[in-house]
Amino acid sequence: MPSAPFPAPRAAAAASGPTVAIDIGGTKIAGALVQPDGTMTATTRRPTPRGADADGVMAAVAEVVADLSASPLWASAVRCGIGSAGPVDTSRGTVSPVNIGAWREFPVQERVVAELAARGADLPTVLAGDGVAMTAAEHWLGAARGHANALCMVVSTGVGGGLILNNQLHPGPTGNAGHIGHISVAFDGEPCACGGHGCVESIASGTAIARWALDQGWTPSGNGSDNGSDTAGGGGDATAAGVAAAAAEGDPIALAAFDRAGRALAAAIAATATLVETDIAVIGGGVATAGDTLFAPIRSHLAAYATLSFVKDIQVVPAMLGTHAGLIGAAAAATMLLPSAPSSS
């Protein structure tokens, strides 16, 4: 995370106190007080409960809020941002995370607001999906900083994303705008879990990369490391990380798996850039740690898809914020989406 101060994101910057940031995922629930320059203080986390009911998972969120309330800066907090794995419906304040089975249409925003109030903090609160939160983070302090129009993507077990248009976060009515993983790039492609066909996620997610390589006869050799993109099989690393390691050693099936994923991502990036004129695509998530094994085929194929004059120069770059993106993004999303007028008391 940059150490030099940066201006707060646009919109609610008029209220200059810290933002309560909560990041909810399948493995951990984290919290921090994020200052207007992006500095995080009072950071805390809990493991996401396994096998718990909805209230049991919420209890871990409540513990994170309680930890944050012990900070001497708590009384000066001005807003709260919640970033969560999806699907989300920000119009209703609900989440149904794929990797938190106990939460289906769970009213997380209402419940967090109640926890804040119980700790003496009656704060305006925003819910954002994790792809949108990552986008807000990368635009504020990361690789999309300085770009008025950007597509940011998370490529991991799924493929998500978000949009910056005219320097504004554009989450859409339900918080799902920019969900690039469910753009169809293969007309006759295999069914996707969403019900569509040929979606980017069904080709380019870590899970899809590993599945396709295995289906083509690739055999895991045991090298590589977990990138959070799938569960390793016995006897070798059968995840996308294992495929990436094999590709780096020249394995033809592994190289083909990443070329196929890169082509799908390139087609989707070009389609998005053509539609809304973004000039940069920022890619993070576990699969992006493969580096040029992923980025080289994306850039190579992009030349065949982004051919019009207003999209042919689009940049494709790796995300910068890594594990900080969730909390910084929750804070940035709240700061960008809440009204800037300081008169709501």
Side-chain angles (χ1 to χ4, degrees):
M1 184 174 61
S3 57
F6 288 94
R10 293 187 176 200
S16 59
T19 299
V20 178
I22 299 171
D23 178 25
I24 300 171
T27 59
K28 61 97 174 59
I29 297 165
L33 299 179
V34 180
Q35 301 298 324
D37 66 353
T39 303
M40 294 192 298
T41 60
T43 56
T44 184
R45 62 188 291 166
R46 294 287 190 281
T48 303
R50 301 285 186 185
D53 62 10
D55 286 337
V57 177
M58 185 62 209
V61 178
E63 290 174 7
V64 166
V65 173
D67 287 350
L68 297 178
S69 71
S71 167
L73 297 173
W74 178 255
S76 60
V78 295
R79 66 184 75 85
C80 175
I82 308 163
S84 176
V88 303
D89 184 344
T90 59
S91 67
R92 299 170 58 220
T94 61
V95 296
S96 303
V98 171
N99 49 9
I100 304 178
W103 278 7
R104 290 295 172 264
E105 298 186 3
F106 185 76
V108 67
Q109 183 169 335
E110 176 186 330
R111 295 289 296 269
V112 168
V113 166
E115 290 295 332
L116 295 170
R119 302 284 173 178
D122 187 10
L123 301 177
T125 300
V126 160
L127 170 65
D130 51 7
V132 170
M134 175 265 194
T135 299
E138 291 291 335
H139 184 251
W140 180 19
L141 298 177
R145 185 170 181 261
H147 291 266
N149 300 286
L151 165 68
C152 297
M153 305 169 61
V154 180
V155 184
S156 186
T157 49
V159 177
L163 291 167
I164 297 288
L165 301 178
N166 296 323
N167 276 315
Q168 299 294 322
L169 189 63
H170 183 74
T174 66
N176 292 289
H179 200 335
I180 193 168
H182 295 291
I183 289 178
S184 178
V185 292
F187 180 72
D188 293 320
E190 64 183 80
C192 178
C194 75
H197 288 266
C199 293
V200 175
E201 183 171 296
S202 70
I203 299 171
S205 70
T207 308
I209 290 169
R211 182 178 63 245
W212 187 87
L214 290 165
D215 287 347
Q216 302 306 307
W218 172 70
T219 302
S221 63
N223 56 1
S225 60
D226 179 28
N227 70 356
S229 56
D230 200 3
T231 303
D237 186 352
T239 72
V243 181
E249 296 174 356
D251 183 287
I253 295 176
L255 286 166
F258 270 90
D259 185 76
R260 180 173 180 265
R263 184 178 181 185
L265 291 166
I269 290 167
T272 303
T274 303
L275 186 66
V276 295
E277 290 197 59
T278 55
D279 56 19
I280 190 169
V282 176
I283 304 179
V287 177
T289 62
D292 281 347
T293 299
L294 177 69
F295 284 90
I298 292 174
R299 291 169 180 146
S300 174
H301 286 294
L302 196 58
Y305 291 104
T307 58
L308 294 170
S309 61
F310 60 94
V311 295
K312 66 183 180 63
D313 294 325
I314 187 169
Q315 302 176 54
V316 179
V317 300
M320 290 175 57
L321 297 178
T323 57
H324 295 300
L327 287 170
I328 291 176
T335 305
M336 296 177 81
L337 295 174
L338 287 167
S340 59
S343 59
S344 59
S345 81

